[in-house]
Amino acid sequence: MTTPQSTYRLQITSGFTLDDAASQVDYLARLGVDWVYLSPLLKAEDGSDHGYDVVDFSVVDPARGGPGALARLADTARRAGRGVLVDIVPNHTGVATPAHNPWWWDLLTHGRDSHYAEAFDVDWDFGGGRVRVPVLGDATGDDELDRLELVDGELRYYDHRFPVAPGTADDGAPATVVHDRQHYELVNWRRADAELNYRRFFAVNTLAGVRVEVPWVFDESHAEIIRWVHDGLVQGLRVDHPDGLADPGGYLDALRAETGAEYIVVEKILEGREALPDGWQTEGTSGYDALADFDRVLVDPAGQHPLDELETALQAEAGNANTSWEERVHAGKRSIADGILRSEVLRIARLVPRLGDPDTTADALAELLAAFPVYRSYLPLGSEHLRTAARRAAERRPNLTDRIDALLVVLADPAHPAAVRFQQTSGMVMAKGVEDTAYYRYSRLTSLNEVGADPAEFAIGTDEFHRRQQARLESFPASMTTLSTHDTKRGEDVRARIAVLAEVPAEWRATLARLRELAPLGDAPFENLLWQAIVGAWPASRERLAGYALKAAREAGLSTTWTAPNQAFETALGRLVDSAFDDTQVAQTIDAFVARVRPFGWSNSLSAKLLQLTAPGVPDVYQGSELWETSLVDPDNRRPIDYAARRELLTAIDDGWLPQVDEGGAAKLLVTSRALRLRRDRADLFTGYRPLQADGAAADHVVAFGHADSGAITVATRRPAGLAAGGGWRDTAVDTGLDATGLTDVLTGIRYDQRALPLRMLLGHYPVALLVPDGGETRGETHVR
């Protein structure tokens, strides 16, 4: 099986097409990338900047270049010796514009008699034989249905178009009467929370779930994808959101069997020490679990207590008595189960009518979902998580114990429809309740509030870091690793700077107090979260920060929400962002603190990048992150990339320029290109894993590892602010474990002969080093004995 040595993620859009991607393959090859990794390519909703709202499974999106452009890109990649990995979306389809989705249009036209009725997850009985489509606005006097028009044989509601079933509009009846004859019912958008009767992707009404567990549905929705692989256009596949499927393991079996893809990874969020099911036909995850390791080994554990105290004080000011992360998780998940995903909870309850009062059953189900410790189980695998959830739910709600016990019997049965649907739903509740809610309510150290990570885990030591890398190597050695993606809440270098707060917690507390005094908002924890984001991304434009602030506040859902915006709060929020640009005292406060932490953030950035690129797994580089990646949450992290600037800098580096750390991110480009090239061209240097030890006064400030005997060696600085405050490296040295072997740092070209390398020399120019034994690829110029 062919496995990539590395990947580089490109967001393919109408503004950056497959032909545009092909024009960058030569740059990516120079950078050291092995495989090109593409966002979803099938035809999506018009104007989609992400591609996860596929409307036609049969064709490469013309707006993204079409099938011809994919063939040209594949040919360009093949001639450059590169592979192609593509993101696919089996769980759902875009239905925002029914006329653009032939499957959905047919379903709306013919209802249960549609060829595609089996493809969608519709509870027909609950809807009275109709699909509820939540598009109607809030009535302002007249019934919203009175705004329907019958035009050219279609029902129209403003810009929305809907089909008319044959024979239902031939008698000249008014549009409202025609509507009543259809296999769908247009309803107010607010009814989706509790009354929808089709499965969605999370709570997105315009993304309808697809039943790929049905063989013909798999075949029709994957025919084009299978063609890509069989025709040699694509070598690997990344599966989006497998947790939404009825049978993820069965799906992966079919995907491997039908495509023969050489490399398959899944977007799977693992909690704690949770592992992927051993029997899955996958090489591993898309890398979020690894991201948490690289971040936390660089965080100073000494900052936990003072930052906990600050969080407690801020939450108390906001009237929150219990400030634990666990309580934030439960509250977030329960609010989602009772709110935007109540339709899913009630649907599970309808599958177990004999248990008694449906409201009590729904209450117990919501409590089980809120208490579920991982995204989902894969019964019978993971039944222990269900038992854990039942115990926790009963402890919190003893009045529900009997109903929980009764549900436990049903939900533990892999064949019961309620168990299947509960497993599909628990991941939705976790994602919306934690990633999109609790992450925005918990402000202790927001670099830890990242997809796939547990904010309760503040830091890890080097021993635990090494254990996790060895575990990845032993279990899923080809699993992806990442630092930034299209879904991360903060770009890798924003997180790297925020992590420095753990080293200077008192200074941050004073700075935050000053900023809150100058620009009050009235939501203490959120102010902490927002000012951390501003400091982490600074300098950033007013527009970017305003967009982030509004999205973050509405996701938190405490002072304002998406469905009921608090205009007074949002106006004050806008003033806070403006103050960073218009208020001299605020700007000076920000500038002063950023100047204090910026060099240490850069050190963390280079360390995290080198750790990720050289640790076990297949490292992915998100588009543009070979320079400083200071994006915030989407859509900010999907901005266009200036590849011309990157080409120019890479040429200068290849011509012998050794950039300083503060020269516009060029040092990161040096680290990225040298690590990627070495990993691609000398894969033999990256087999195995050897933790390396350091001795001396500053030994706690370095993390280092090698690979098999005579393999590459990675050395990276950790907790740089504390290192500087303690007087630097002094007598600290790292033991390479290699006798009588010369080593050259591929970043600087300096050659060393010692087994124990003094870090004041090794890390004198950069906070990281990548060493290769004699015979490896080097820049080699300087010799140190």
Side-chain angles (χ1 to χ4, degrees):
M1 175 173 291
T2 301
T3 298
Q5 295 302 317
S6 65
T7 61
Y8 187 102
R9 170 79 175 212
L10 293 171
Q11 294 296 115
I12 305 301
T13 67
S14 59
F16 186 85
T17 67
L18 288 161
D19 282 320
D20 295 319
S23 72
Q24 299 302 334
V25 167
D26 65 320
Y27 162 71
L28 298 183
R30 286 179 55 210
L31 185 63
V33 172
D34 195 10
W35 285 21
V36 182
Y37 170 23
L38 308 175
S39 61
L41 300 180
L42 293 174
K43 181 172 173 55
E45 290 280 0
D46 288 349
S48 172
D49 68 349
H50 50 76
Y52 290 96
D53 45 1
V54 172
V55 298
D56 189 340
F57 295 110
S58 69
V59 65
V60 176
D61 196 340
R64 288 168 165 75
L70 175 59
R72 290 188 291 274
L73 170 60
D75 181 64
T76 301
R78 181 168 50 250
R79 286 187 284 106
R82 310 278 68 83
V84 177
L85 173 71
V86 176
D87 198 345
I88 62 172
V89 191
N91 177 71
H92 51 267
T93 183
V95 297
T97 313
H100 293 173
N101 188 318
W103 289 25
W104 189 248
W105 187 263
D106 196 80
L107 177 82
L108 298 183
T109 303
H110 301 289
R112 281 173 158 159
D113 294 330
S114 167
H115 170 67
Y116 295 103
E118 192 180 20
F120 293 99
D121 209 346
V122 180
D123 186 348
W124 293 101
D125 291 340
F126 179 63
R130 306 170 77 188
V131 182
R132 289 176 178 162
V133 182
V135 298
L136 299 182
D138 294 325
T140 55
D142 297 329
D143 190 316
E144 280 294 295
L145 285 175
D146 290 339
R147 302 178 189 277
L148 284 175
E149 297 180 294
L150 191 61
V151 180
D152 296 332
E154 297 175 353
L155 282 174
R156 301 284 177 91
Y157 175 71
Y158 295 103
D159 293 334
H160 296 280
R161 297 167 49 202
F162 300 96
V164 170
T168 59
D170 299 338
D171 58 357
T176 53
V177 174
V178 173
H179 166 263
D180 291 342
R181 298 168 176 172
Q182 302 311 306
H183 299 288
Y184 57 87
E185 178 187 9
L186 305 184
V187 300
N188 181 270
W189 65 275
R190 296 181 187 274
R191 291 178 63 186
D193 287 359
E195 299 177 50
L196 207 63
N197 67 329
Y198 64 88
R199 180 172 62 87
R200 302 162 289 173
F201 170 72
F202 296 167
V204 184
N205 300 332
T206 55
L207 296 175
V210 176
R211 300 182 64 226
V212 291
E213 67 271 19
V214 178
W216 75 260
V217 176
F218 176 93
D219 293 342
E220 287 198 29
S221 61
H222 284 68
E224 176 67 0
I225 295 167
I226 293 169
R227 181 187 73 81
W228 298 343
V229 180
H230 288 179
D231 290 355
L233 303 175
V234 169
Q235 289 69 50
L237 300 170
R238 182 263 199 190
V239 178
D240 180 66
H241 191 49
D243 278 353
L245 306 180
D247 180 12
Y251 169 79
L252 291 170
D253 287 343
L255 186 67
R256 180 82 81 187
E258 295 299 323
T259 65
E262 298 174 340
Y263 184 70
I264 297 174
V265 291
V266 292
E267 184 212 26
K268 168 61 188 170
I269 308 300
L270 299 171
E271 290 291 314
R273 296 194 176 186
E274 181 189 10
L276 277 178
D278 289 336
W280 279 12
Q281 287 292 316
T282 178
E283 278 58 65
T285 73
S286 55
Y288 290 118
D289 45 312
L291 179 155
D293 299 344
F294 303 131
D295 278 0
R296 278 156 180 73
V297 76
L298 302 179
V299 173
D300 187 351
Q304 180 169 354
H305 179 68
L307 290 178
D308 276 343
E309 288 187 329
L310 175 58
E311 177 73 2
T312 298
L314 296 173
Q315 293 286 356
E317 183 179 330
N320 301 322
N322 193 324
T323 63
S324 73
W325 169 244
E326 291 73 17
E327 284 301 312
R328 299 277 78 75
V329 167
H330 181 273
K333 293 176 70 176
R334 184 68 209 227
S335 70
I336 293 300
D338 291 338
I340 58 176
L341 288 178
R342 183 160 173 79
S343 286
E344 303 298 331
V345 175
L346 294 175
R347 186 167 180 181
I348 300 170
R350 291 195 295 273
L351 293 172
V352 286
R354 288 189 290 181
L355 293 187
D357 172 45
D359 289 339
T360 302
T361 299
D363 192 7
L365 283 166
E367 198 60 47
L368 283 167
L369 289 165
F372 209 76
V374 296
Y375 273 67
R376 65 165 285 172
S377 59
Y378 309 93
L379 293 175
L381 187 67
S383 58
E384 71 277 9
H385 300 310
L386 182 60
R387 292 191 295 272
T388 296
R391 176 178 53 79
R392 291 177 178 176
E395 289 173 353
R396 185 179 289 269
R397 297 287 304 282
N399 61 309
L400 293 176
T401 298
D402 290 346
R403 191 60 53 91
I404 289 169
D405 289 343
L407 280 168
L408 186 60
V409 175
V410 174
L411 299 181
D413 178 2
H416 199 290
V420 174
R421 192 160 299 281
F422 183 89
Q423 291 178 99
Q424 292 177 281
T425 303
S426 62
M428 300 187 208
V429 173
M430 177 75 87
K432 295 304 296 181
V434 179
E435 294 174 24
D436 293 345
T437 303
Y439 276 4
Y440 292 95
R441 296 178 177 180
Y442 190 68
S443 68
R444 178 177 65 174
L445 186 66
T446 57
S447 59
L448 306 179
N449 299 9
E450 195 48 84
V451 179
D454 178 4
E457 182 178 63
F458 192 83
I460 61 173
T462 54
D463 288 346
E464 176 62 15
F465 176 80
H466 293 314
R467 187 198 66 77
R468 295 183 184 186
Q469 307 321 300
Q470 289 171 313
R472 183 181 309 111
L473 181 63
E474 292 166 3
S475 58
F476 287 92
S479 188
M480 290 181 79
T481 68
T482 191
L483 288 178
S484 297
T485 76
H486 61 287
D487 274 338
T488 41
K489 304 300 183 184
R490 296 161 188 82
E492 60 202 57
D493 300 316
V494 176
R495 300 197 311 274
R497 186 183 292 174
I498 292 174
V500 181
L501 272 58
E503 298 196 71
V504 292
E507 294 176 55
W508 173 244
R509 185 166 191 157
T511 299
L512 177 65
R514 178 60 174 157
L515 290 168
R516 294 187 64 212
E517 176 187 5
L518 294 170
L521 183 62
D523 185 337
F526 184 75
E527 290 170 67
N528 189 23
L529 180 142
L530 181 55
W531 284 117
Q532 286 185 39
I534 292 173
V535 164
W538 197 259
S541 71
R542 187 190 306 258
E543 292 73 23
R544 287 180 57 209
L545 294 180
Y548 172 78
L550 185 59
K551 177 172 182 174
R554 289 180 174 178
E555 294 282 49
L558 295 175
S559 294
T560 187
T561 68
W562 290 107
T563 56
N566 180 333
Q567 190 58 53
F569 177 83
E570 293 186 0
T571 298
L573 184 63
R575 287 197 300 267
L576 183 152
V577 173
D578 287 341
S579 73
F581 302 90
D582 302 335
D583 187 309
T584 301
Q585 293 184 80
V586 172
Q588 289 176 343
T589 303
I590 295 171
D591 288 340
F593 188 79
V594 168
R596 168 76 170 112
V597 298
R598 182 169 47 207
F600 306 124
W602 285 334
S603 176
N604 284 341
S605 292
L606 298 183
S607 290
K609 199 67 172 179
L610 187 61
L611 291 174
Q612 184 240 342
L613 294 176
T614 58
V618 175
D620 175 54
V621 176
Y622 184 64
Q623 60 176 27
S625 66
E626 62 269 34
L627 295 183
W628 301 135
E629 163 57 337
T630 58
S631 296
L632 296 166
V633 74
D634 67 276
D636 192 53
N637 56 16
R638 300 170 188 174
R639 288 170 294 143
I641 305 301
D642 185 348
Y643 286 106
R646 286 161 174 77
R647 287 174 178 269
E648 184 177 347
L649 288 172
L650 185 57
T651 296
I653 290 169
D654 286 344
D655 288 342
W657 176 43
L658 273 182
Q660 298 299 313
V661 173
D662 61 355
E663 291 189 271
K668 190 181 182 191
L669 180 60
L670 168 69
V671 169
T672 303
S673 62
R674 273 37 188 175
L676 286 176
R677 290 176 186 179
L678 190 66
R679 183 135 198 179
R680 181 188 66 194
D681 301 335
R682 291 297 309 276
D684 58 300
L685 297 176
F686 293 90
T687 60
Y689 187 87
R690 293 189 300 123
L692 299 181
Q693 301 300 315
D695 293 304
D700 286 344
H701 292 277
V702 64
V703 55
F705 56 84
H707 295 276
D709 290 345
S710 299
I713 291 175
T714 294
V715 183
T717 301
R718 58 197 292 257
R719 292 149 43 190
L723 176 66
W729 292 114
R730 291 167 286 168
D731 63 342
T732 309
V734 65
D735 185 354
T736 65
L738 301 177
D739 292 313
T741 300
L743 294 167
T744 299
D745 182 359
V746 301
L747 304 180
T748 63
I750 298 176
R751 186 176 184 278
Y752 302 88
D753 283 338
Q754 307 99 308
R755 168 174 171 153
L757 300 179
L759 295 183
R760 58 185 170 79
M761 290 194 303
L762 181 63
L763 303 182
H765 195 87
Y766 296 119
V768 294
L770 178 56
L771 302 164
V772 295
D774 286 350
E777 179 181 324
T778 71
R779 294 173 60 112
E781 292 161 354
T782 306
H783 188 186
V784 175
R785 297 185 183 276

